[in-house]
Amino acid sequence: MHEINAAVMREPEQLSYETVQLEEPKATEVLVDVRATGVCHTDYHAYTNPDTGRPIVLGHEGAGIVEAVGEEVTAVEPGDHVVLWVLPSCGQCEHCSAGEPYFCPTHAETRGSMPDGTKRLYDDDGSIDHFFSQSSFASKTVVPERSAIPIPADVPFEIAALLGCGVPTGIGAVLNTAGVRPGDDVAIFGCGGVGASAILGADLVGARRIIAVDIEERKLNEMSELGATHTINSSTTDPVDEIQELTGGVDYSFECIGRPETLEQAFESLGRGGIAVATTTKDTGTFEIDGGAFPRGVGIIGNMVGSIRPHEDIPKLADLYLDGRLDLDALLTDSYSLSELGDAFDALRDGEVIRSVVRPDE
Ligand SMILES: [Zn+2]
Ligand SMILES: [Zn+2]
C-alpha cells in the first residue's frame, strides 16, 4: 500500500484533498509517480454530473515517471517517462486486433474501476472509484500497462500531459479520422483545446485555408498564431455564408464544441464530397441536416479520441514537439497545484483557458 495525496470528489462539484491508500500494481499494471495531469471537459462533465459514481478520483490525462511494475509488464520499466493514455484497451479484441484500440469496449465495460473490475484506491470507509482506470488527480496512480505510453524524457511533464487525450483528439481528428491532405480547405468550429489542436494538425499537414470559427475575438486572435489563415466571429458574421464565399465549401469541417447548431453549420459549410467531423465525444443531441445535400457526396462522421493508436502516435507527436514542429507550448495556458483543481475547473467552465494542467508535485 502507498499513501498518496488525491483530489477526492465525494459530492458533485466538491473536492477534498486527502491522503488515501493506493494498492500495489497487479501483474499487468504499473505504478506511476504523477507529475502533471491535463484538466479536460470530460473531467468537468463528471465533476458537475450528479450521476457520477462517488467517491471518485477524477483525472485521465496524466504524465509522470514509472515507479514500479507488475511481474508480467514488459513495455515499460521503472524510471521511464510516460503519458497516461485516456482509453484503456485490451489488446486482444477484434477492434484492438484491427489496429483500432479506440473502439475497444474495455472502458465502457469497466467504468469506475480497473479493467479487471477491481479497485486500487481506498479510504478508511472502503473503496474509491477510478476514472478511465487512471484517476491521475493524485500524487501516484496505478494504471494498466497498455495505458502507459513511453515518451522521451526531455518532453516537459506539462506538455506530456497534453498528449493524454484532448490534444490528440483534435490533431488526430484531422490527421487520422478525416485524413486531411496538403492543399485541402478546412473549417474548425469552436476554438477550445480540441479546436486549437485541430488547427495545429491542419497546419502540420499543410491544409490550404484553415478557417477558425468562434464567438470570442480573443480566442480567434490566438488561433491565428497557431496557424489559422482566416477567422470568423460567428456572433457577428454568418459562418456558413462566409465559408462558402471564401472557399466554395470546405473539404473538411470539424465541430469541436458538441452543439447541434454548430454541427449543422459545419455540415452546411462543406463543398462537394466534403466531410464534417463531430470531433468531441459529447452527446450532441438531435440536429437537422438537409438530405438534399447528399447527392453532393457530403457526409458526417464521428471521432473517437482522434482515432489515435497511442503506442504509435503519441511518441510521434512528442518527437514533432521536440523538433519544434508542433507548438504544444502555445496550447498550455495555466498550471495549478493539486489543491487548486477546483479553480482550474472554474477557469475551464469560464472559457479562460485553451488547456491547463495540475501539478500534483507542487
Ligand atoms: Zn480491445
Ligand atoms: Zn480528456
Side-chain angles (χ1 to χ4, degrees), residues 129-179:
D129 275 3
H130 295 245
F131 196 54
F132 288 89
S133 303
Q134 184 174 141
S135 295
S136 47
F137 290 137
S139 55
K140 294 180 199 290
T141 184
V142 165
V143 299
E145 173 186 17
R146 285 180 53 78
S147 298
I149 314 298
I151 55 157
D154 40 358
V155 178
F157 290 111
E158 294 101 324
I159 297 299
L162 299 186
L163 294 174
C165 159
V167 170
T169 293
I171 296 175
V174 173
L175 302 185
N176 301 334
T177 308

CSV table of all heavy atoms in Angstrom, one decimal, residues 129-179:
chain,number,residue,atom,x,y,z
A,129,ASP,N,-13.8,5.1,-6.4
A,129,ASP,CA,-13.9,4.8,-7.8
A,129,ASP,C,-12.7,5.4,-8.6
A,129,ASP,O,-12.2,6.4,-8.2
A,129,ASP,CB,-15.2,5.4,-8.4
A,129,ASP,CG,-16.4,4.5,-8.2
A,129,ASP,OD1,-16.2,3.4,-7.6
A,129,ASP,OD2,-17.5,4.8,-8.7
A,130,HIS,N,-12.4,4.7,-9.7
A,130,HIS,CA,-11.4,5.2,-10.6
A,130,HIS,C,-12.1,5.9,-11.7
A,130,HIS,O,-13.3,5.7,-12.0
A,130,HIS,CB,-10.6,4.0,-11.2
A,130,HIS,CG,-9.8,3.2,-10.2
A,130,HIS,ND1,-8.4,3.2,-10.2
A,130,HIS,CD2,-10.1,2.5,-9.1
A,130,HIS,CE1,-8.0,2.5,-9.2
A,130,HIS,NE2,-9.0,2.0,-8.5
A,131,PHE,N,-11.3,6.7,-12.5
A,131,PHE,CA,-11.8,7.4,-13.7
A,131,PHE,C,-10.9,7.0,-14.9
A,131,PHE,O,-9.7,7.2,-14.8
A,131,PHE,CB,-11.8,8.9,-13.4
A,131,PHE,CG,-12.6,9.7,-14.4
A,131,PHE,CD1,-13.9,9.4,-14.6
A,131,PHE,CD2,-12.0,10.8,-15.0
A,131,PHE,CE1,-14.7,10.2,-15.4
A,131,PHE,CE2,-12.8,11.5,-15.9
A,131,PHE,CZ,-14.1,11.3,-16.1
A,132,PHE,N,-11.5,6.3,-15.9
A,132,PHE,CA,-10.8,5.8,-17.0
A,132,PHE,C,-9.6,4.9,-16.6
A,132,PHE,O,-8.6,4.9,-17.2
A,132,PHE,CB,-10.3,7.0,-17.9
A,132,PHE,CG,-11.4,7.7,-18.7
A,132,PHE,CD1,-12.1,8.7,-18.1
A,132,PHE,CD2,-11.8,7.2,-19.9
A,132,PHE,CE1,-13.1,9.4,-18.8
A,132,PHE,CE2,-12.8,7.8,-20.6
A,132,PHE,CZ,-13.5,8.9,-20.1
A,133,SER,N,-9.8,4.2,-15.5
A,133,SER,CA,-8.7,3.3,-15.0
A,133,SER,C,-7.5,4.1,-14.8
A,133,SER,O,-6.4,3.6,-15.0
A,133,SER,CB,-8.5,2.1,-15.8
A,133,SER,OG,-9.7,1.4,-16.0
A,134,GLN,N,-7.6,5.4,-14.4
A,134,GLN,CA,-6.4,6.3,-14.3
A,134,GLN,C,-6.4,7.1,-13.0
A,134,GLN,O,-5.4,7.1,-12.3
A,134,GLN,CB,-6.3,7.2,-15.5
A,134,GLN,CG,-5.0,8.0,-15.5
A,134,GLN,CD,-4.8,8.8,-16.8
A,134,GLN,OE1,-4.3,9.9,-16.7
A,134,GLN,NE2,-5.0,8.2,-17.9
A,135,SER,N,-7.4,7.9,-12.8
A,135,SER,CA,-7.5,8.7,-11.6
A,135,SER,C,-6.2,9.5,-11.3
A,135,SER,O,-5.6,9.3,-10.2
A,135,SER,CB,-7.9,7.8,-10.4
A,135,SER,OG,-9.2,7.3,-10.6
A,136,SER,N,-5.8,10.3,-12.2
A,136,SER,CA,-4.5,11.0,-12.1
A,136,SER,C,-4.5,12.3,-11.4
A,136,SER,O,-3.5,13.0,-11.4
A,136,SER,CB,-3.8,11.0,-13.4
A,136,SER,OG,-4.7,11.5,-14.4
A,137,PHE,N,-5.6,12.8,-10.8
A,137,PHE,CA,-5.6,14.0,-10.0
A,137,PHE,C,-5.1,13.5,-8.6
A,137,PHE,O,-5.8,13.5,-7.6
A,137,PHE,CB,-6.9,14.7,-9.9
A,137,PHE,CG,-7.3,15.4,-11.2
A,137,PHE,CD1,-8.6,15.3,-11.6
A,137,PHE,CD2,-6.4,16.1,-11.9
A,137,PHE,CE1,-9.0,15.9,-12.8
A,137,PHE,CE2,-6.7,16.8,-13.1
A,137,PHE,CZ,-8.0,16.7,-13.5
A,138,ALA,N,-3.9,13.0,-8.6
A,138,ALA,CA,-3.3,12.3,-7.4
A,138,ALA,C,-1.8,12.3,-7.5
A,138,ALA,O,-1.3,12.4,-8.6
A,138,ALA,CB,-3.9,10.9,-7.3
A,139,SER,N,-1.1,12.1,-6.4
A,139,SER,CA,0.4,12.1,-6.5
A,139,SER,C,0.9,10.9,-7.1
A,139,SER,O,2.0,10.9,-7.7
A,139,SER,CB,0.9,12.3,-5.1
A,139,SER,OG,0.4,11.3,-4.2
A,140,LYS,N,0.2,9.7,-7.0
A,140,LYS,CA,0.6,8.5,-7.7
A,140,LYS,C,-0.7,7.8,-8.2
A,140,LYS,O,-1.8,8.0,-7.6
A,140,LYS,CB,1.3,7.5,-6.7
A,140,LYS,CG,2.6,8.0,-6.2
A,140,LYS,CD,3.2,7.0,-5.3
A,140,LYS,CE,4.3,7.5,-4.4
A,140,LYS,NZ,5.6,7.9,-5.1
A,141,THR,N,-0.5,6.9,-9.2
A,141,THR,CA,-1.6,6.1,-9.6
A,141,THR,C,-1.1,4.8,-10.1
A,141,THR,O,0.0,4.6,-10.4
A,141,THR,CB,-2.4,6.9,-10.8
A,141,THR,OG1,-3.6,6.1,-11.1
A,141,THR,CG2,-1.5,7.1,-12.0
A,142,VAL,N,-2.1,3.8,-10.2
A,142,VAL,CA,-1.8,2.6,-10.8
A,142,VAL,C,-2.7,2.5,-12.1
A,142,VAL,O,-3.9,2.8,-12.0
A,142,VAL,CB,-2.2,1.4,-9.9
A,142,VAL,CG1,-2.2,0.1,-10.6
A,142,VAL,CG2,-1.1,1.3,-8.7
A,143,VAL,N,-2.0,2.2,-13.2
A,143,VAL,CA,-2.7,2.1,-14.5
A,143,VAL,C,-2.4,0.8,-15.2
A,143,VAL,O,-1.3,0.2,-14.9
A,143,VAL,CB,-2.4,3.3,-15.4
A,143,VAL,CG1,-2.8,4.6,-14.8
A,143,VAL,CG2,-0.9,3.2,-15.8
A,144,PRO,N,-3.2,0.3,-16.1
A,144,PRO,CA,-2.9,-0.9,-16.9
A,144,PRO,C,-1.6,-0.6,-17.7
A,144,PRO,O,-1.4,0.6,-18.2
A,144,PRO,CB,-4.1,-1.0,-17.9
A,144,PRO,CG,-5.2,-0.3,-17.3
A,144,PRO,CD,-4.6,0.9,-16.5
A,145,GLU,N,-0.8,-1.6,-17.9
A,145,GLU,CA,0.5,-1.4,-18.7
A,145,GLU,C,0.2,-0.7,-20.1
A,145,GLU,O,0.9,0.1,-20.5
A,145,GLU,CB,1.1,-2.8,-18.9
A,145,GLU,CG,2.3,-2.8,-19.8
A,145,GLU,CD,2.8,-4.2,-20.1
A,145,GLU,OE1,2.0,-5.2,-19.9
A,145,GLU,OE2,3.9,-4.3,-20.6
A,146,ARG,N,-0.9,-1.2,-20.7
A,146,ARG,CA,-1.2,-0.6,-22.1
A,146,ARG,C,-1.6,0.8,-22.1
A,146,ARG,O,-1.6,1.5,-23.1
A,146,ARG,CB,-2.3,-1.5,-22.7
A,146,ARG,CG,-1.8,-2.8,-23.2
A,146,ARG,CD,-3.0,-3.6,-23.8
A,146,ARG,NE,-3.7,-2.9,-24.9
A,146,ARG,CZ,-3.2,-2.7,-26.1
A,146,ARG,NH1,-2.1,-3.3,-26.5
A,146,ARG,NH2,-3.9,-2.0,-27.0
A,147,SER,N,-1.9,1.4,-20.9
A,147,SER,CA,-2.2,2.8,-20.8
A,147,SER,C,-1.0,3.7,-20.6
A,147,SER,O,-1.1,4.9,-20.7
A,147,SER,CB,-3.3,3.1,-19.7
A,147,SER,OG,-4.5,2.4,-20.0
A,148,ALA,N,0.1,3.1,-20.3
A,148,ALA,CA,1.3,3.9,-20.0
A,148,ALA,C,2.2,3.9,-21.3
A,148,ALA,O,2.8,2.9,-21.6
A,148,ALA,CB,2.1,3.3,-18.8
A,149,ILE,N,2.3,5.0,-21.9
A,149,ILE,CA,3.0,5.1,-23.2
A,149,ILE,C,4.3,5.8,-23.0
A,149,ILE,O,4.4,7.0,-22.7
A,149,ILE,CB,2.1,6.0,-24.2
A,149,ILE,CG1,0.6,5.6,-24.2
A,149,ILE,CG2,2.7,5.9,-25.6
A,149,ILE,CD1,0.4,4.1,-24.6
A,150,PRO,N,5.4,5.1,-23.3
A,150,PRO,CA,6.7,5.7,-23.0
A,150,PRO,C,7.0,6.9,-24.0
A,150,PRO,O,6.7,6.7,-25.2
A,150,PRO,CB,7.7,4.6,-23.3
A,150,PRO,CG,6.9,3.3,-23.4
A,150,PRO,CD,5.5,3.7,-23.7
A,151,ILE,N,7.6,7.9,-23.5
A,151,ILE,CA,8.0,9.1,-24.4
A,151,ILE,C,9.4,9.5,-24.0
A,151,ILE,O,9.9,9.2,-22.9
A,151,ILE,CB,7.0,10.3,-24.2
A,151,ILE,CG1,6.8,10.7,-22.8
A,151,ILE,CG2,5.6,9.9,-24.8
A,151,ILE,CD1,6.4,12.1,-22.6
A,152,PRO,N,10.0,10.3,-24.8
A,152,PRO,CA,11.4,10.8,-24.5
A,152,PRO,C,11.3,11.6,-23.2
A,152,PRO,O,10.4,12.4,-23.0
A,152,PRO,CB,11.7,11.7,-25.7
A,152,PRO,CG,10.9,11.2,-26.8
A,152,PRO,CD,9.6,10.8,-26.2
A,153,ALA,N,12.4,11.5,-22.4
A,153,ALA,CA,12.4,12.1,-21.1
A,153,ALA,C,12.6,13.6,-21.2
A,153,ALA,O,12.3,14.3,-20.2
A,153,ALA,CB,13.6,11.5,-20.2
A,154,ASP,N,13.0,14.2,-22.3
A,154,ASP,CA,13.1,15.6,-22.4
A,154,ASP,C,11.8,16.4,-22.7
A,154,ASP,O,11.8,17.6,-22.8
A,154,ASP,CB,14.3,16.0,-23.3
A,154,ASP,CG,14.3,15.2,-24.6
A,154,ASP,OD1,13.5,14.3,-24.7
A,154,ASP,OD2,15.2,15.5,-25.4
A,155,VAL,N,10.7,15.7,-22.9
A,155,VAL,CA,9.4,16.4,-23.0
A,155,VAL,C,9.0,16.8,-21.6
A,155,VAL,O,8.8,16.0,-20.7
A,155,VAL,CB,8.3,15.4,-23.6
A,155,VAL,CG1,7.0,16.2,-23.7
A,155,VAL,CG2,8.8,14.9,-25.0
A,156,PRO,N,8.7,18.1,-21.4
A,156,PRO,CA,8.3,18.6,-20.1
A,156,PRO,C,7.0,17.9,-19.7
A,156,PRO,O,6.1,17.6,-20.5
A,156,PRO,CB,8.1,20.1,-20.2
A,156,PRO,CG,8.8,20.4,-21.5
A,156,PRO,CD,8.8,19.2,-22.3
A,157,PHE,N,6.8,17.6,-18.4
A,157,PHE,CA,5.6,16.8,-18.0
A,157,PHE,C,4.3,17.6,-18.3
A,157,PHE,O,3.3,16.9,-18.6
A,157,PHE,CB,5.7,16.5,-16.5
A,157,PHE,CG,6.7,15.5,-16.1
A,157,PHE,CD1,7.8,15.9,-15.4
A,157,PHE,CD2,6.6,14.2,-16.5
A,157,PHE,CE1,8.8,15.0,-15.1
A,157,PHE,CE2,7.6,13.3,-16.2
A,157,PHE,CZ,8.7,13.7,-15.5
A,158,GLU,N,4.3,18.9,-18.2
A,158,GLU,CA,3.0,19.6,-18.6
A,158,GLU,C,2.6,19.4,-20.0
A,158,GLU,O,1.5,19.3,-20.3
A,158,GLU,CB,3.2,21.2,-18.4
A,158,GLU,CG,3.4,21.6,-16.9
A,158,GLU,CD,4.8,21.9,-16.6
A,158,GLU,OE1,5.7,21.2,-17.2
A,158,GLU,OE2,5.1,22.8,-15.9
A,159,ILE,N,3.7,19.3,-20.9
A,159,ILE,CA,3.4,19.1,-22.3
A,159,ILE,C,3.0,17.6,-22.5
A,159,ILE,O,2.1,17.3,-23.3
A,159,ILE,CB,4.6,19.5,-23.1
A,159,ILE,CG1,4.9,20.9,-23.0
A,159,ILE,CG2,4.5,19.1,-24.6
A,159,ILE,CD1,3.9,21.9,-23.5
A,160,ALA,N,3.7,16.7,-21.8
A,160,ALA,CA,3.3,15.3,-21.9
A,160,ALA,C,1.9,15.1,-21.6
A,160,ALA,O,1.2,14.3,-22.2
A,160,ALA,CB,4.3,14.5,-21.1
A,161,ALA,N,1.4,15.8,-20.5
A,161,ALA,CA,0.0,15.6,-20.1
A,161,ALA,C,-1.0,16.0,-21.1
A,161,ALA,O,-2.0,15.4,-21.2
A,161,ALA,CB,-0.2,16.4,-18.8
A,162,LEU,N,-0.6,17.0,-22.0
A,162,LEU,CA,-1.5,17.4,-23.0
A,162,LEU,C,-1.7,16.3,-24.1
A,162,LEU,O,-2.6,16.3,-24.8
A,162,LEU,CB,-0.9,18.6,-23.7
A,162,LEU,CG,-0.7,19.9,-22.9
A,162,LEU,CD1,-0.3,21.1,-23.8
A,162,LEU,CD2,-2.0,20.2,-22.1
A,163,LEU,N,-0.7,15.3,-24.1
A,163,LEU,CA,-0.8,14.2,-25.1
A,163,LEU,C,-1.6,13.1,-24.6
A,163,LEU,O,-1.7,12.0,-25.3
A,163,LEU,CB,0.6,13.7,-25.4
A,163,LEU,CG,1.5,14.8,-26.1
A,163,LEU,CD1,2.9,14.3,-26.3
A,163,LEU,CD2,0.9,15.1,-27.5
A,164,GLY,N,-2.3,13.2,-23.5
A,164,GLY,CA,-3.1,12.1,-22.9
A,164,GLY,C,-4.5,11.9,-23.5
A,164,GLY,O,-5.1,10.9,-23.3
A,165,CYS,N,-5.1,13.0,-24.1
A,165,CYS,CA,-6.5,12.9,-24.5
A,165,CYS,C,-6.9,14.0,-25.5
A,165,CYS,O,-7.1,13.8,-26.7
A,165,CYS,CB,-7.4,12.8,-23.3
A,165,CYS,SG,-9.1,13.2,-23.5
A,166,GLY,N,-7.1,15.2,-24.9
A,166,GLY,CA,-7.8,16.3,-25.7
A,166,GLY,C,-7.0,16.8,-26.9
A,166,GLY,O,-7.6,17.0,-28.0
A,167,VAL,N,-5.7,17.0,-26.7
A,167,VAL,CA,-4.9,17.5,-27.9
A,167,VAL,C,-4.8,16.4,-29.0
A,167,VAL,O,-5.1,16.7,-30.2
A,167,VAL,CB,-3.5,17.9,-27.4
A,167,VAL,CG1,-2.6,18.2,-28.5
A,167,VAL,CG2,-3.7,19.2,-26.5
A,168,PRO,N,-4.5,15.1,-28.7
A,168,PRO,CA,-4.5,14.1,-29.8
A,168,PRO,C,-5.9,14.0,-30.4
A,168,PRO,O,-6.0,13.6,-31.5
A,168,PRO,CB,-4.0,12.9,-29.1
A,168,PRO,CG,-3.3,13.3,-27.9
A,168,PRO,CD,-3.9,14.6,-27.4
A,169,THR,N,-7.0,14.2,-29.6
A,169,THR,CA,-8.3,14.1,-30.1
A,169,THR,C,-8.5,15.1,-31.3
A,169,THR,O,-9.1,14.8,-32.3
A,169,THR,CB,-9.4,14.4,-29.0
A,169,THR,OG1,-9.3,13.3,-28.1
A,169,THR,CG2,-10.8,14.5,-29.6
A,170,GLY,N,-8.0,16.3,-31.1
A,170,GLY,CA,-8.1,17.4,-32.1
A,170,GLY,C,-7.1,17.1,-33.3
A,170,GLY,O,-7.5,17.2,-34.5
A,171,ILE,N,-5.9,16.8,-33.0
A,171,ILE,CA,-4.9,16.6,-34.0
A,171,ILE,C,-5.3,15.4,-34.8
A,171,ILE,O,-5.2,15.3,-36.1
A,171,ILE,CB,-3.5,16.5,-33.4
A,171,ILE,CG1,-3.0,17.8,-32.8
A,171,ILE,CG2,-2.5,16.1,-34.5
A,171,ILE,CD1,-1.7,17.7,-32.0
A,172,GLY,N,-5.6,14.3,-34.1
A,172,GLY,CA,-6.0,13.0,-34.7
A,172,GLY,C,-7.3,13.1,-35.6
A,172,GLY,O,-7.4,12.4,-36.6
A,173,ALA,N,-8.2,14.0,-35.2
A,173,ALA,CA,-9.4,14.2,-36.0
A,173,ALA,C,-9.0,14.6,-37.4
A,173,ALA,O,-9.6,14.2,-38.4
A,173,ALA,CB,-10.3,15.2,-35.3
A,174,VAL,N,-8.0,15.5,-37.5
A,174,VAL,CA,-7.5,16.0,-38.8
A,174,VAL,C,-6.7,15.0,-39.5
A,174,VAL,O,-7.0,14.6,-40.7
A,174,VAL,CB,-6.7,17.3,-38.5
A,174,VAL,CG1,-6.1,17.8,-39.8
A,174,VAL,CG2,-7.6,18.4,-38.0
A,175,LEU,N,-5.7,14.4,-38.8
A,175,LEU,CA,-4.7,13.5,-39.5
A,175,LEU,C,-5.3,12.1,-39.7
A,175,LEU,O,-5.1,11.5,-40.8
A,175,LEU,CB,-3.4,13.4,-38.6
A,175,LEU,CG,-2.7,14.7,-38.3
A,175,LEU,CD1,-1.4,14.3,-37.6
A,175,LEU,CD2,-2.4,15.4,-39.6
A,176,ASN,N,-6.0,11.6,-38.7
A,176,ASN,CA,-6.4,10.2,-38.8
A,176,ASN,C,-7.9,10.0,-39.2
A,176,ASN,O,-8.2,9.4,-40.2
A,176,ASN,CB,-6.2,9.5,-37.5
A,176,ASN,CG,-4.8,9.5,-37.0
A,176,ASN,OD1,-3.9,9.6,-37.8
A,176,ASN,ND2,-4.6,9.4,-35.7
A,177,THR,N,-8.8,10.6,-38.5
A,177,THR,CA,-10.2,10.4,-38.7
A,177,THR,C,-10.6,11.0,-40.1
A,177,THR,O,-11.3,10.3,-40.8
A,177,THR,CB,-11.1,11.1,-37.6
A,177,THR,OG1,-10.6,10.6,-36.3
A,177,THR,CG2,-12.5,10.7,-37.7
A,178,ALA,N,-10.2,12.2,-40.3
A,178,ALA,CA,-10.6,12.8,-41.6
A,178,ALA,C,-9.5,12.5,-42.7
A,178,ALA,O,-9.9,12.2,-43.8
A,178,ALA,CB,-10.7,14.3,-41.5
A,179,GLY,N,-8.3,12.4,-42.3
A,179,GLY,CA,-7.2,12.2,-43.3
A,179,GLY,C,-7.1,13.4,-44.2
A,179,GLY,O,-7.0,13.3,-45.5
